[in-house]
Amino acid sequence: MSSVTIRVPATTANLGPGFDAFGCALSLYTDVTFEETDAGLEITGCDEAYTGPDNMAYTAFCAVLASLSEEVRGVKIHIESQIPICRGLGSSAALLVAGAMGANLLRGNKLSTQGLLNITNAMEGHPDNLAPAFYGGLTASMVDNGLPVTVNFPLHPDWEFLALVPDFNLPTPLARSVLPTEIPRSDAVYNIAHGAMVLKALELGDEKLLRNAMQDRLHQGYRKKLIPDFDAIQALIRTTGAAFCLSGAGPTLLCITQDPGLEEKLTEKLPKITTAHWDILPLHIEFQGAHRV
């Protein structure tokens, strides 16, 4: 095998109170093709700024080969991505997952998915996006003795996701820089309780419980200052009865609902309360994780 294409779903992390722990795979995709050659590194299909050796798909590709004590040959990488960059929908995690899986398949599929998650988590620093990208569905993850541990949770089939994607980005390092280094114990307790309720509400399909549980005191209150009109949009969403949170570090905002008319309502009302342009993307849960196509 000298060529392989990997499809990886977009992911939303945190889901409100599940900071750096919860994640869910969604129906946007990045396809990455790896073809080993004798001509060094060539990356196509993305902005020129991402065509060097620091491209995340390539760095993960090399990391897996290093773990296998395999030589890094020349490789041509072609990226076709629906996932917007630096918008809180797992674009970086998708490239890491694709690179790791591509290298593994090209060299005999010697590592398990858990092994690939271990390698990429060491690169990313937290498994909240990586886990659902690898496994699909809704996941919760922790790191134990330096290694990620992930479990899947059930999801009620009636949930619909709407991603509100703005025309500006928010790099994750900037979004992390505004977070405090210490938090009150009451805030930690608040998030633990709300996080448990989020997982149960998503399982039961309980809209009221999800709306109330998807509150957070660890990150959203600090990050919302980086997103114009956040408070106005949040107020609008709350009038519709949908649950609302940042997608990952933002700036994408996520609505979770069982109202099939929510997209139409937001299409009409959102432009009236914000100066930015927001694309409204109706998405469903993707239960299949990264795989060869």
Side-chain angles (χ1 to χ4, degrees):
M1 184 190 305
S2 61
S3 177
V4 65
T5 299
I6 308 298
R7 173 165 294 171
V8 188
T11 51
T12 183
N14 302 330
L15 295 171
F19 180 63
D20 277 4
F22 296 172
C24 187
L26 298 173
S27 56
L28 286 175
Y29 307 94
T30 290
D31 289 355
V32 187
T33 299
F34 302 87
E35 180 182 357
E36 291 197 290
T37 71
D38 296 321
L41 173 64
E42 179 184 355
I43 301 176
T44 58
C46 61
D47 189 280
E48 186 176 355
Y50 304 109
T51 58
D54 57 348
N55 179 284
M56 290 186 172
Y58 182 64
T59 57
F61 186 91
C62 293
V64 167
L65 293 186
S67 75
L68 295 170
S69 300
E70 293 269 2
E71 176 188 2
V72 179
R73 305 167 189 165
V75 61
K76 180 177 180 179
I77 300 174
H78 181 68
I79 301 169
E80 295 183 10
S81 182
Q82 301 173 342
I83 307 174
I85 297 172
C86 293
R87 296 297 199 280
L89 287 167
S91 60
S92 298
L95 292 178
L96 289 172
V97 169
M101 186 170 287
N104 192 42
L105 285 171
L106 285 172
R107 301 301 173 90
N109 203 26
K110 298 173 183 176
L111 297 176
S112 66
T113 301
Q114 180 64 51
L116 299 178
L117 177 59
N118 293 347
I119 292 169
T120 51
N121 183 69
M123 303 172 71
E124 179 83 336
H126 42 93
D128 50 351
N129 287 105
L130 293 168
F134 273 118
Y135 292 109
L138 172 66
T139 62
S141 304
M142 66 179 184
V143 177
D144 184 41
N145 291 321
L147 296 177
V149 179
T150 293
V151 292
N152 277 90
F153 285 84
L155 278 158
H156 195 278
D158 289 346
W159 291 120
E160 299 290 338
F161 290 71
L162 288 180
L164 311 183
V165 184
D167 57 1
F168 58 88
N169 64 25
L170 178 55
T172 300
L174 174 59
R176 284 191 173 270
S177 71
V178 300
L179 302 182
T181 56
E182 296 182 357
I183 59 166
R185 179 169 54 188
S186 59
D187 288 350
V189 172
Y190 182 96
N191 270 54
I192 292 169
H194 282 69
M197 295 297 177
V198 163
L199 294 174
K200 196 62 179 179
L202 288 171
E203 176 188 350
L204 296 175
D206 189 325
E207 290 183 282
K208 181 179 179 181
L209 180 60
L210 184 64
R211 187 168 59 249
N212 292 335
M214 200 167 275
Q215 308 298 318
D216 161 80
R217 291 183 180 177
L218 299 187
H219 69 108
Q220 292 190 153
Y222 305 98
R223 288 171 165 170
K224 72 178 186 178
K225 303 167 188 175
L226 304 173
I227 302 172
D229 303 313
F230 178 97
D231 287 332
I233 296 171
Q234 178 174 247
L236 170 63
I237 301 303
R238 285 180 174 168
T239 67
T240 71
F244 173 84
C245 64
L246 275 177
S247 181
T252 292
L253 307 177
L254 191 69
C255 307
I256 306 178
T257 183
Q258 294 178 18
D259 177 6
L262 181 59
E263 181 184 0
E264 183 178 352
K265 295 174 187 175
L266 295 183
T267 299
E268 175 189 354
K269 296 180 179 180
L270 195 58
K272 299 176 182 179
I273 63 169
T274 178
T275 55
H277 173 76
W278 297 76
D279 289 325
I280 302 173
L281 303 182
L283 302 172
H284 60 260
I285 303 154
E286 177 53 81
F287 288 99
Q288 184 175 22
H291 61 281
R292 183 185 179 191
V293 293

